Amino acid sequence: MTESSPPEDHKRPQRDDFSRDAVKLAALREAMREQGQSRERAIPTSSDLASRRRLLDTAKWALPLLAALLLGSIAVWPEIARWLSANRAVMQEMAQMRVESGNLEGAIYRGLDVHNRPYMVTARIAHQNGPDRIDLVDPVADTHMAGGNWAQITADKGVYMQHEQTLNLTGHVVLYRDDGTLMNGLTADIDLHRGVIASNDWVHAEGPFGILDAQGYFIDQHDNLLQFVGPQRVIRNDDRQDAMPALTSPAHKAP
């Protein structure tokens, strides 16, 4: 005798299997509603629109100005770097100086002449004698002439007037130019601003032209002019006319 199969009503799904909890469903709907309200976009007011408009107007001016400043800094950076390098060199020179008993050792003075050419005056010892005058021991003046030439003058003592840009040298004054001219004398007055060197004392000169003794000389570095004044004695290296211009009175010009 076989067992009878269960009735078909027990195999069909019941309605209770798909039923939901009404409380949980209401809570879920409320949470979804609150979340939707929180995502709602706030409508901007007139004050908000005005603030944004001011921000945009400011950005229209500020951004191009910032770009111009950046481009300008790129253009002037080489000059800034050169200025920093020059100041660094000056600081190194100042670090090497020593002040003892009112005297400055290793003094260096720099400037520009009327033609914007640099010059430099150095001294083993410098003593400030008033607001303008500086007394120098073993001064050396380096100057530039037209065409890129240069000249150096040394002496035992000197007086440098800062405001006037003048230098008065005494005691074994030696002037050397890069064209080979060497001059020895007792005194020399230098106008560093105008690029003029002069002396009224006897001078002995040697160079490519030969040997010359004169009562004084005058040099204009801008015009590259050298004149010997007063009575002169000349010994030429040769008899060529272009070795040295003909003697004139009272001055004599040499290249």
Side-chain angles (χ1 to χ4, degrees):
M1 185 174 178
T2 61
E3 296 180 357
S4 60
S5 58
E8 295 180 359
D9 294 340
H10 294 285
K11 297 180 181 180
R12 296 177 180 177
Q14 302 297 320
R15 186 175 182 83
D16 295 340
D17 297 336
F18 300 96
S19 63
R20 297 182 179 180
D21 190 346
V23 177
K24 292 182 178 180
L25 184 58
L28 179 60
R29 290 176 178 174
E30 183 65 22
M32 293 176 65
R33 186 181 64 80
E34 292 178 356
Q35 187 177 7
Q37 291 179 353
S38 62
R39 290 182 179 180
E40 290 181 358
R41 182 178 178 182
I43 299 175
T45 61
S46 58
S47 61
D48 294 336
L49 293 176
S51 176
R52 293 180 183 180
R53 188 177 298 108
R54 288 193 299 267
L55 181 61
L56 290 175
D57 293 338
T58 303
K60 289 179 182 179
W61 289 98
L63 292 179
L65 181 61
L66 180 60
L69 289 176
L70 291 176
L71 292 176
S73 63
I74 294 174
V76 302
W77 178 249
E79 291 296 326
I80 296 175
R82 185 180 63 82
W83 180 79
L84 293 175
S85 178
N87 283 348
R88 191 179 301 111
V90 171
M91 294 301 295
Q92 291 176 355
E93 291 175 356
M94 292 181 62
Q96 296 175 357
M97 297 180 182
R98 294 184 300 168
V99 179
E100 297 181 359
S101 303
N103 295 331
L104 182 64
E105 296 187 1
I108 300 176
Y109 305 94
R110 302 177 187 271
L112 296 174
D113 63 12
V114 69
H115 305 292
N116 207 32
R117 292 191 298 261
Y119 68 82
M120 181 175 66
V121 178
T122 62
R124 183 171 60 86
I125 298 176
H127 178 73
Q128 188 80 32
N129 190 2
D132 188 24
R133 172 171 174 165
I134 301 175
D135 296 332
L136 307 176
V137 177
D138 295 335
V140 179
D142 293 282
T143 61
H144 288 268
M145 300 181 293
N149 299 329
W150 56 269
Q152 184 183 78
I153 308 176
T154 63
D156 294 337
K157 295 182 180 180
V159 176
Y160 177 50
M161 307 298 289
Q162 286 183 296
H163 296 164
E164 293 81 359
Q165 292 181 279
T166 60
L167 180 63
N168 305 111
L169 302 177
T170 57
H172 193 209
V173 178
V174 178
L175 184 149
Y176 177 76
R177 304 201 320 174
D178 62 348
D179 59 1
T181 302
L182 180 65
M183 297 166 36
N184 291 269
L186 298 176
T187 63
D189 298 324
I190 308 175
D191 189 333
L192 297 167
H193 182 67
R194 295 170 53 196
V196 173
I197 307 172
S199 176
N200 291 324
D201 291 314
W202 281 96
V203 60
H204 175 79
E206 299 181 9
F209 56 85
I211 300 175
L212 185 146
D213 294 305
Q215 192 175 3
Y217 63 88
F218 174 84
I219 300 176
D220 189 334
Q221 299 191 99
H222 175 62
D223 295 330
N224 199 19
L225 174 67
L226 169 58
Q227 291 182 333
F228 295 98
V229 298
Q232 304 167 22
R233 182 179 68 91
V234 181
I235 301 176
R236 297 183 178 180
N237 286 335
D238 53 45
D239 295 332
R240 292 179 306 163
Q241 294 298 323
D242 59 348
M244 190 173 185
L247 194 63
T248 60
S249 179
H252 174 70
K253 299 182 180 180

